[in-house]
Coordinates of all heavy atoms in Angstrom, one line a residue:
V1 N 0.9 -1.2 0.0 CA 0.0 0.0 0.0 C 0.9 1.2 0.0 O 1.8 1.4 0.9 CB -0.9 0.0 1.2 CG1 -1.8 1.3 1.2 CG2 -1.8 -1.2 1.3
L2 N 0.8 2.1 -1.0 CA 1.6 3.3 -1.1 C 0.8 4.5 -0.8 O -0.3 4.7 -1.2 CB 2.2 3.4 -2.5 CG 3.1 2.2 -3.0 CD1 3.6 2.5 -4.4 CD2 4.2 2.0 -2.0
V3 N 1.4 5.4 0.0 CA 0.8 6.7 0.4 C 1.7 7.8 0.1 O 2.9 7.6 -0.1 CB 0.5 6.6 1.9 CG1 -0.5 5.5 2.3 CG2 1.8 6.5 2.7
P4 N 1.2 9.0 0.0 CA 2.1 10.2 -0.2 C 3.1 10.4 0.9 O 2.7 10.1 2.1 CB 1.1 11.4 -0.4 CG -0.2 10.8 -0.6 CD -0.2 9.4 0.1
A5 N 4.2 10.9 0.6 CA 5.2 11.3 1.6 C 4.7 12.4 2.5 O 3.9 13.3 2.0 CB 6.5 11.6 1.0
A6 N 5.1 12.4 3.8 CA 4.8 13.5 4.8 C 3.3 13.7 5.0 O 2.8 14.7 5.3 CB 5.4 14.8 4.3
D7 N 2.5 12.6 4.7 CA 1.0 12.7 4.9 C 0.6 11.8 6.1 O 0.4 10.6 5.9 CB 0.3 12.2 3.6 CG -1.2 12.5 3.6 OD1 -1.8 12.5 4.7 OD2 -1.7 12.7 2.5
T8 N 0.5 12.4 7.3 CA 0.2 11.7 8.5 C -1.1 11.0 8.4 O -1.3 9.8 8.7 CB 0.2 12.6 9.7 OG1 1.5 13.2 9.8 CG2 -0.1 11.8 11.0
D9 N -2.2 11.6 7.8 CA -3.5 11.1 7.7 C -3.5 9.8 6.9 O -4.1 8.8 7.2 CB -4.5 12.1 7.2 CG -4.8 13.2 8.2 OD1 -4.5 13.0 9.4 OD2 -5.2 14.3 7.7
A10 N -2.8 9.9 5.7 CA -2.8 8.8 4.8 C -2.1 7.6 5.4 O -2.5 6.4 5.2 CB -2.2 9.2 3.4
L11 N -1.0 7.9 6.0 CA -0.2 6.8 6.6 C -1.0 6.1 7.7 O -1.1 4.9 7.8 CB 1.1 7.3 7.2 CG 2.1 6.3 7.8 CD1 2.6 5.3 6.8 CD2 3.2 7.0 8.5
A12 N -1.6 6.9 8.6 CA -2.4 6.4 9.7 C -3.5 5.5 9.2 O -3.8 4.5 9.7 CB -2.9 7.5 10.6
A13 N -4.2 6.0 8.2 CA -5.4 5.3 7.7 C -5.0 4.0 7.0 O -5.6 2.9 7.2 CB -6.2 6.2 6.7
A14 N -3.9 4.0 6.2 CA -3.5 2.8 5.5 C -3.1 1.7 6.5 O -3.4 0.5 6.3 CB -2.3 3.1 4.6
V15 N -2.3 2.1 7.5 CA -1.9 1.0 8.5 C -3.0 0.5 9.3 O -3.2 -0.7 9.5 CB -0.8 1.6 9.4 CG1 -0.4 0.6 10.5 CG2 0.5 1.9 8.6
A16 N -3.9 1.4 9.8 CA -5.1 1.0 10.5 C -6.0 0.1 9.7 O -6.5 -0.9 10.3 CB -5.9 2.2 11.0
S17 N -6.1 0.3 8.5 CA -6.9 -0.6 7.6 C -6.3 -2.0 7.6 O -7.1 -3.0 7.7 CB -7.0 0.0 6.2 OG -7.7 -0.9 5.3
L18 N -5.0 -2.1 7.4 CA -4.4 -3.4 7.4 C -4.5 -4.1 8.7 O -4.7 -5.3 8.8 CB -2.9 -3.3 7.0 CG -2.6 -3.0 5.5 CD1 -1.1 -2.9 5.3 CD2 -3.2 -4.1 4.7
I19 N -4.3 -3.4 9.8 CA -4.4 -4.0 11.2 C -5.8 -4.6 11.4 O -6.0 -5.6 12.0 CB -4.1 -3.0 12.3 CG1 -2.6 -2.6 12.1 CG2 -4.3 -3.6 13.6 CD1 -1.6 -3.7 12.3
Q20 N -6.8 -3.9 10.9 CA -8.2 -4.3 11.2 C -8.8 -5.2 10.1 O -9.9 -5.8 10.3 CB -9.1 -3.0 11.2 CG -8.7 -2.1 12.4 CD -9.5 -0.7 12.3 OE1 -9.5 -0.1 11.2 NE2 -10.1 -0.4 13.4
R21 N -8.0 -5.5 9.1 CA -8.5 -6.4 8.0 C -7.5 -7.5 7.7 O -6.6 -7.4 6.8 CB -8.8 -5.6 6.7 CG -9.9 -4.6 6.9 CD -10.1 -3.7 5.7 NE -11.3 -2.9 5.7 CZ -11.4 -1.7 6.4 NH1 -10.4 -1.3 7.1 NH2 -12.5 -1.1 6.4
P22 N -7.6 -8.6 8.4 CA -6.7 -9.7 8.2 C -6.7 -10.2 6.8 O -5.7 -10.7 6.2 CB -7.2 -10.8 9.2 CG -8.0 -10.1 10.2 CD -8.6 -8.9 9.5
G23 N -7.9 -10.2 6.1 CA -7.9 -10.6 4.7 C -7.1 -9.8 3.8 O -6.4 -10.3 2.9
Q24 N -7.1 -8.5 4.0 CA -6.2 -7.6 3.2 C -4.7 -7.9 3.5 O -3.9 -7.9 2.5 CB -6.5 -6.1 3.6 CG -5.8 -5.1 2.7 CD -6.2 -3.7 3.0 OE1 -6.8 -3.4 4.1 NE2 -5.7 -2.8 2.2
R25 N -4.4 -8.2 4.7 CA -3.0 -8.6 5.0 C -2.6 -9.9 4.3 O -1.5 -10.0 3.8 CB -2.8 -8.7 6.5 CG -3.0 -7.4 7.3 CD -2.2 -7.4 8.6 NE -2.5 -8.5 9.5 CZ -3.6 -8.5 10.3 NH1 -4.4 -7.5 10.4 NH2 -3.8 -9.6 11.1
R26 N -3.5 -10.9 4.3 CA -3.2 -12.1 3.7 C -3.0 -11.9 2.2 O -2.1 -12.5 1.6 CB -4.3 -13.1 3.9 CG -4.3 -13.7 5.3 CD -5.3 -14.9 5.4 NE -6.7 -14.6 5.2 CZ -7.5 -14.2 6.2 NH1 -7.0 -14.1 7.5 NH2 -8.7 -13.9 6.0
E27 N -3.8 -11.1 1.5 CA -3.6 -10.8 0.1 C -2.3 -10.1 -0.2 O -1.6 -10.5 -1.1 CB -4.8 -9.9 -0.4 CG -4.6 -9.4 -1.8 CD -4.7 -10.5 -2.8 OE1 -5.2 -11.6 -2.6 OE2 -4.1 -10.3 -3.9
L28 N -1.9 -9.2 0.7 CA -0.6 -8.5 0.5 C 0.5 -9.5 0.7 O 1.6 -9.4 0.1 CB -0.5 -7.3 1.4 CG -1.1 -6.0 0.9 CD1 -1.0 -4.9 2.0 CD2 -0.6 -5.6 -0.4
T29 N 0.4 -10.4 1.6 CA 1.4 -11.5 1.9 C 1.6 -12.3 0.6 O 2.7 -12.6 0.2 CB 1.0 -12.4 3.0 OG1 1.1 -11.6 4.2 CG2 1.9 -13.6 3.1
Q30 N 0.5 -12.7 0.0 CA 0.6 -13.5 -1.3 C 1.3 -12.7 -2.4 O 2.2 -13.2 -3.1 CB -0.7 -14.0 -1.7 CG -1.4 -15.0 -0.8 CD -2.8 -15.2 -1.1 OE1 -3.4 -14.7 -2.0 NE2 -3.5 -16.1 -0.3
R31 N 0.9 -11.4 -2.5 CA 1.5 -10.6 -3.5 C 3.0 -10.3 -3.3 O 3.8 -10.3 -4.2 CB 0.8 -9.2 -3.6 CG -0.6 -9.3 -4.1 CD -1.2 -7.9 -4.2 NE -2.6 -8.0 -4.6 CZ -3.4 -6.9 -4.9 NH1 -2.8 -5.7 -4.7 NH2 -4.6 -7.0 -5.2
A32 N 3.3 -10.2 -2.0 CA 4.7 -9.9 -1.6 C 5.6 -11.1 -2.0 O 6.7 -10.9 -2.6 CB 4.9 -9.7 -0.1
R33 N 5.1 -12.3 -1.7 CA 5.9 -13.5 -2.1 C 6.1 -13.7 -3.6 O 7.1 -14.1 -4.1 CB 5.3 -14.7 -1.5 CG 5.5 -14.8 0.1 CD 4.7 -15.9 0.7 NE 5.0 -15.9 2.1 CZ 4.2 -16.5 3.1 NH1 3.0 -17.0 2.7 NH2 4.5 -16.5 4.3
R34 N 5.0 -13.3 -4.3 CA 5.1 -13.4 -5.8 C 6.1 -12.3 -6.3 O 6.9 -12.6 -7.2 CB 3.8 -13.2 -6.5 CG 2.8 -14.3 -6.3 CD 1.6 -14.2 -7.3 NE 0.8 -13.0 -7.1 CZ -0.2 -13.0 -6.3 NH1 -0.7 -14.1 -5.7 NH2 -0.9 -11.8 -6.2
R35 N 6.0 -11.1 -5.8 CA 7.0 -10.1 -6.2 C 8.4 -10.4 -5.8 O 9.3 -10.2 -6.6 CB 6.6 -8.7 -5.6 CG 7.6 -7.6 -5.9 CD 7.6 -7.3 -7.3 NE 8.6 -6.3 -7.6 CZ 9.5 -6.4 -8.6 NH1 9.6 -7.4 -9.4 NH2 10.4 -5.4 -8.8
A36 N 8.6 -11.0 -4.7 CA 10.0 -11.4 -4.2 C 10.6 -12.4 -5.2 O 11.8 -12.3 -5.4 CB 9.9 -12.0 -2.9
M37 N 9.8 -13.2 -5.9 CA 10.4 -14.2 -6.8 C 11.0 -13.5 -8.0 O 11.8 -14.0 -8.7 CB 9.3 -15.2 -7.2 CG 8.9 -16.1 -6.1 SD 7.5 -17.2 -6.6 CE 8.3 -18.2 -7.9
G38 N 10.5 -12.3 -8.3 CA 11.0 -11.5 -9.5 C 12.1 -10.5 -9.2 O 12.6 -9.8 -10.1
L39 N 12.5 -10.4 -7.9 CA 13.6 -9.5 -7.5 C 14.9 -10.0 -7.9 O 15.2 -11.2 -7.9 CB 13.5 -9.2 -6.0 CG 12.3 -8.5 -5.5 CD1 12.4 -8.3 -4.0 CD2 12.2 -7.1 -6.1
P40 N 15.9 -9.1 -8.3 CA 17.2 -9.5 -8.6 C 17.9 -10.1 -7.4 O 17.8 -9.6 -6.3 CB 17.9 -8.3 -9.1 CG 17.2 -7.1 -8.4 CD 15.7 -7.6 -8.3
T41 N 18.7 -11.2 -7.6 CA 19.5 -11.7 -6.6 C 20.9 -10.9 -6.5 O 21.2 -10.2 -7.4 CB 19.8 -13.2 -6.8 OG1 20.6 -13.3 -8.0 CG2 18.5 -14.0 -6.9
A42 N 21.7 -11.2 -5.5 CA 23.0 -10.6 -5.4 C 23.8 -11.0 -6.6 O 24.6 -10.1 -7.2 CB 23.7 -11.0 -4.1

């Protein structure tokens, strides 16, 4: 989840949404693992 820099309200809302929504966290977990497979190795 990307938010504008120096925006306290946007940061607070985005994190609170994830904390309160386990399903959203699970979806991001799956996306993170897929994205990690495409990252360059050392």
Side-chain angles (χ1 to χ4, degrees):
V1 177
L2 298 181
V3 299
D7 190 329
T8 302
D9 291 338
L11 181 66
V15 172
S17 176
L18 283 179
I19 294 298
Q20 295 172 310
R21 293 174 171 82
Q24 188 181 8
R25 295 204 305 275
R26 286 193 294 270
E27 174 62 23
L28 279 179
T29 289
Q30 294 171 0
R31 292 184 183 185
R33 288 173 175 158
R34 287 197 297 268
R35 176 60 184 135
M37 293 175 65
L39 293 178
T41 64

